[in-house]
Amino acid sequence: MHGTHFSNDYVIQPGVLWPGRQKKEGDTIVRDLELYVHIPFCVKKCEYCDFLSAPAAPSIQSAYVDRLVEEICTLAPEYTDCQVSSVFIGGGTPSILEPIQIARIMGAISGGFHMQKDAEITMECNPGTLNGENTRAFYALGINRLSIGLQSAKEKELKLLGRIHSYDDFLKSFDEARKAGFTNINVDLMSALPCQTVKSWEDTLRQVTMLKPEHISAYSLIIEEGTPFYLRFHEDEAVRERGGRPLFLPSEEDERRMYEITEEILSSRGYQKYEISNYARPGYECRHNIGYWTGKEYLGLGLGSSSLMKHVRFKNTSVLQEYMDMPFARCEEEPLDQKEQMEEFMFLGLRMTKGISRRKFSGRFQKELESIYGPVIQKLEQEGLIAQSEGRIFLTPRGVDVSNVVFEEFLL
């Protein structure tokens, strides 16, 4: 099989990870690390999106990649005691970049960090930006997991969301990904959309599961402040006052039914629910996200990215020009005290269907769970919102319905 040629400097064998930083004298691996790499560019901003992303000229994208590579190369020497277990290239739409640009980013990461041999390397992409050529190139560069943003299989719903692609575009992209060699693909779906019905959501689930992706993320639409959807929501205030639902949104009853049938359909098709909004075939749970929910350290690279290292949370600037001037400057830094660490342990861990472990809580904080949260646990269990089994505490189905309320109970 021939290698993929991007220039005289890059000849990458398909499916082969970059070799990774060579261990040097004095390097002692003491902990795992996850990397998040932010690509803040997209073809068109979706109507509901509040992520840090926007369209940009190719020249701006190229200059950004230069700065991102500089940031990676500058920061990597600080983490020679870490081994990278996962990389998540998110956005925006990372697949908007040219393969040579992804090659530069991957080369900088692997040249600067120790990489686990089986590291999970995910890249987000949209169907409107994938084709056979760049999909094969991404695979050749060591990307071993794709997360494709479909959202809906219905053309009307996609149009109302402001998506740039059709369902047919998605089918072609999915097929190209399989042909390129990808055996770990996530599909993002979204329920409670304008004009969406329980039946149309059910159709989307059935159509997508027929393709047998390894992972499905099924989120409910949240109307975020500052988005076109939010502005239209408030313009429909009179409708809301009359007890209606603005933007032709499904009723609360229909929205709840959509959530219920998601688990019903996906479980019947071999997908296990392992987190409030995530389902996977056995062995294909997203390792990067599990690390986040279970408190693993992560380093954010790129515009607006967040990090958590040694119980200190910090963040890069969200202003593009500031990042271009100094890509590795931290604009926010917040040490987490033990109280805050306990809170995060609980409300992030409870997002997982298996919940949190009493043993891990006491091992990490040198305190028994009951001494901190005894009354809260008793109250929530009596209300049927949490349950206990084999040393673990987890949300009940009723608790999942009001999960944000449950999480608030664990704030100290």
Side-chain angles (χ1 to χ4, degrees):
M1 184 178 290
H2 297 293
T4 297
H5 295 251
F6 302 117
S7 73
N8 292 332
D9 299 323
Y10 292 97
V11 181
I12 309 301
Q13 294 302 319
V16 179
L17 283 173
W18 294 85
R21 172 190 170 94
Q22 298 300 304
K23 190 173 182 181
K24 298 179 180 179
E25 186 176 352
D27 288 353
T28 303
I29 306 301
V30 296
R31 63 191 196 275
D32 284 346
L33 174 66
E34 298 191 327
L35 298 181
Y36 173 78
V37 182
H38 190 65
I39 308 299
F41 308 118
C42 55
V43 176
K44 175 181 174 289
K45 190 83 168 177
C46 295
E47 299 287 296
Y48 62 90
C49 179
D50 74 328
F51 294 134
L52 182 58
S53 62
S59 60
I60 294 176
Q61 296 177 28
S62 178
Y64 178 82
V65 171
D66 289 343
R67 289 295 178 263
L68 178 59
V69 168
E70 181 183 353
E71 179 187 13
I72 294 168
C73 293
T74 300
L75 293 181
E78 299 179 19
Y79 300 94
T80 57
D81 62 339
C82 297
Q83 183 170 248
V84 174
S85 58
S86 71
V87 180
F88 195 102
I89 306 173
T93 306
S95 52
I96 200 174
L97 296 182
E98 296 295 329
I100 184 63
Q101 295 171 318
I102 297 296
R104 293 187 61 210
I105 294 168
M106 288 295 297
I109 289 172
S110 189
F113 292 92
H114 295 293
M115 302 286 291
Q116 284 186 3
K117 290 182 178 180
D118 66 341
E120 176 190 86
I121 303 179
T122 302
M123 187 172 77
E124 291 184 329
C125 53
N126 278 338
T129 62
L130 284 180
N131 55 57
E133 184 178 354
N134 67 6
T135 305
R136 290 191 298 272
F138 296 145
Y139 178 74
L141 288 168
I143 309 298
N144 54 31
R145 184 176 184 270
L146 285 185
S147 182
I148 305 178
L150 169 60
Q151 314 313 344
S152 171
K154 301 298 181 180
E155 303 301 335
K156 181 179 181 181
E157 294 169 10
L158 289 173
K159 186 175 181 180
L160 286 170
L161 286 173
R163 303 293 288 175
I164 65 170
H165 63 85
S166 66
Y167 182 60
D168 188 55
D169 291 332
F170 164 76
L171 291 176
K172 292 175 182 176
S173 296
F174 190 92
D175 183 56
E176 292 291 355
R178 288 297 197 213
K179 288 179 179 177
F182 284 98
T183 58
N184 192 354
I185 300 176
N186 168 64
V187 178
D188 276 347
L189 300 176
M190 191 175 291
S191 62
L193 304 180
C195 295
Q196 190 178 56
T197 65
V198 174
K199 177 64 167 57
S200 71
W201 173 240
E202 183 176 348
D203 289 344
T204 287
L205 291 172
R206 294 190 184 281
Q207 286 176 252
V208 170
T209 54
M210 286 178 64
L211 299 172
K212 299 182 178 179
E214 286 68 35
H215 190 285
I216 293 176
S217 296
Y219 300 100
S220 178
L221 172 67
I222 299 175
I223 300 178
E224 302 285 2
E225 188 171 358
T227 64
F229 267 22
Y230 184 85
L231 296 176
R232 289 164 65 186
F233 177 85
H234 282 278
E235 288 173 359
D236 288 342
E237 185 69 24
V239 174
R240 193 158 65 94
E241 288 177 354
R242 293 197 299 270
R245 294 274 281 175
L247 281 174
F248 307 105
L249 295 175
S251 66
E252 291 183 6
E253 181 180 347
D254 281 351
E255 185 175 348
R256 186 175 298 108
R257 181 59 186 149
M258 288 177 189
Y259 187 87
E260 292 171 351
I261 66 171
T262 301
E263 185 168 3
E264 292 172 7
I265 292 174
L266 295 186
S267 62
S268 71
R269 303 290 178 96
Y271 294 89
Q272 297 177 355
K273 180 179 178 181
Y274 69 99
E275 191 269 345
I276 287 178
S277 302
N278 285 276
Y279 301 78
R281 295 187 177 278
Y284 288 97
E285 297 82 0
C286 179
R287 287 156 51 187
H288 185 88
N289 286 342
I290 289 176
Y292 174 73
W293 295 317
T294 56
K296 183 177 285 190
E297 291 182 314
Y298 57 91
L299 177 66
L301 302 160
L303 183 71
S305 59
S306 297
S307 305
L308 178 64
M309 297 295 301
K310 296 182 178 179
H311 308 307
V312 177
R313 192 180 304 285
F314 51 92
K315 183 180 179 182
N316 284 354
T317 178
S318 297
V319 180
L320 181 59
Q321 191 55 56
E322 289 181 2
Y323 179 80
M324 299 297 282
D325 292 339
M326 190 175 293
F328 36 83
R330 299 172 182 174
C331 68
E332 298 177 21
E333 191 165 309
E334 177 193 2
L336 300 180
D337 59 26
Q338 190 178 67
K339 174 181 73 71
E340 292 166 320
Q341 292 174 45
M342 289 178 179
E343 291 172 346
E344 290 203 353
F345 181 95
M346 297 302 295
F347 61 71
L348 288 177
L350 283 171
R351 290 189 62 90
M352 304 282 289
T353 55
K354 67 179 183 179
I356 61 97
S357 163
R358 291 175 174 275
R359 180 179 57 80
K360 288 186 177 180
F361 184 94
S362 60
R364 178 171 170 180
F365 300 112
Q366 304 303 306
K367 296 180 181 179
E368 294 301 318
L369 183 63
E370 236 67 28
S371 68
I372 307 298
Y373 287 116
V376 171
I377 292 171
Q378 185 178 17
K379 171 178 175 285
L380 293 174
E381 191 171 23
Q382 289 174 346
E383 294 174 352
L385 302 178
I386 64 171
Q388 303 187 55
S389 177
E390 299 180 349
R392 306 192 71 89
I393 296 175
F394 47 89
L395 295 177
T396 63
R398 184 180 166 205
V400 171
D401 286 342
V402 292
S403 57
N404 288 336
V405 174
V406 175
F407 298 155
E408 288 177 3
E409 293 287 340
F410 291 96
L411 297 176
L412 296 173

